[in-house]
């Protein structure tokens, strides 16, 4: 099984979601199914079918999270000595060489990506272009809207 890179915060959020699903959501759905069964004929009981559908979704999500956590390679970038090289978990400031605009991104796992919050997936075009590069290197990102040239201004391990 391939390892899935994940930050400490990403793993913590998945564990919290898993705990919520197992301790709150699953019992609530079980109670809803039991209540719907009391209403009689299950063939025409919309509440029962809706609760079963929710249960199926919940169990699927629990299974998915457990699989991801089992395959996770949790990386705590704050414990890695900074070298100026872009690695998984690093926070990278880039300067667009054409517009002089600065952007800052943290490279995170697939499930943790949140572009408005400045977190990009390790599989994104920008992350793939800058991984392994050093501060002050110039890189070309093959973006969907066309190639964009950046300079890596700084690499931080936060």
């Amino acid at each position: 099984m391939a390892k899935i890179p994940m930050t400490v915060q990403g793993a913590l959020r998945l564990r919290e979601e898993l705990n919520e699903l197992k301790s709150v959501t699953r019992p609530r759905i079980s109670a809803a199914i039991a209540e719907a069964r009391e209403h009689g004929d299950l063939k025409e009981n919309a509440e029962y079918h809706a609760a079963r559908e929710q249960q199926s979704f919940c169990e699927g999500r629990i299974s998915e999270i457990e699989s991801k956590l089992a395959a996770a390679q949790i990386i705590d970038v704050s414990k890695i000595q900074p070298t100026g090289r872009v690695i998984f978990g690093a926070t990278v400031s880039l300067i667009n060489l054409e517009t002089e605009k600065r952007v800052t991104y943290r490279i995170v796992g697939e499930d943790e990506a949140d572009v408005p919050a400045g977190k990009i997936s390790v599989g994104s075009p920008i992350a793939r272009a800058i991984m392994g590069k050093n501060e002050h290197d110039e890189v070309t990102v093959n973006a969907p809207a066309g190639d964009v040239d950046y300079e890596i201004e700084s690499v931080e391990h936060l």
Side-chain angles (χ1 to χ4, degrees):
M1 176 181 276
K3 290 288 185 184
I4 299 170
M6 193 176 296
T7 64
V8 174
Q9 297 86 355
L12 180 63
R13 269 195 303 283
L14 279 181
R15 284 189 187 101
E16 287 171 353
E17 181 181 353
L18 182 61
N19 186 43
E20 173 81 12
L21 287 169
K22 284 183 170 183
S23 64
V24 177
T25 307
R26 185 188 267 170
R28 180 180 47 77
I29 293 171
S30 293
I33 290 172
E35 183 181 326
R37 277 190 177 145
E38 293 174 2
H39 293 289
D41 187 13
L42 298 180
K43 288 181 184 176
E44 297 178 13
N45 190 331
E47 291 173 6
Y48 175 77
H49 292 291
R52 293 288 297 179
E53 189 173 312
Q54 285 180 342
Q55 182 183 40
S56 176
F57 176 78
C58 178
E59 294 302 324
R61 183 64 182 152
I62 287 171
S63 178
E64 179 184 10
I65 292 171
E66 288 175 339
S67 294
K68 286 179 181 178
L69 288 173
Q73 178 180 5
I74 300 171
I75 300 168
D76 187 353
V77 74
S78 67
K79 294 184 177 169
I80 299 173
Q81 184 66 34
T83 62
R85 184 178 209 96
V86 179
I87 61 171
F88 179 84
T91 301
V92 183
S93 293
L94 303 169
I95 301 172
N96 183 317
L97 295 176
E98 186 176 319
T99 65
E100 301 283 322
K101 182 180 174 192
R102 283 185 171 76
V103 290
T104 301
Y105 296 117
R106 180 163 187 217
I107 301 171
V108 298
E110 300 286 338
D111 291 323
E112 304 170 74
D114 182 4
V115 176
K119 297 177 182 179
I120 59 171
S121 163
V122 68
S124 70
I126 293 175
R128 286 195 318 263
I130 63 176
M131 289 292 286
K133 302 289 194 272
N134 294 302
E135 286 181 347
H136 309 296
D137 283 355
E138 291 185 9
V139 294
T140 300
V141 176
N142 298 320
D147 291 351
V148 182
D149 295 320
Y150 289 100
E151 178 185 340
I152 300 173
E153 181 179 33
S154 65
V155 178
E156 298 175 286
H157 294 197
L158 305 175

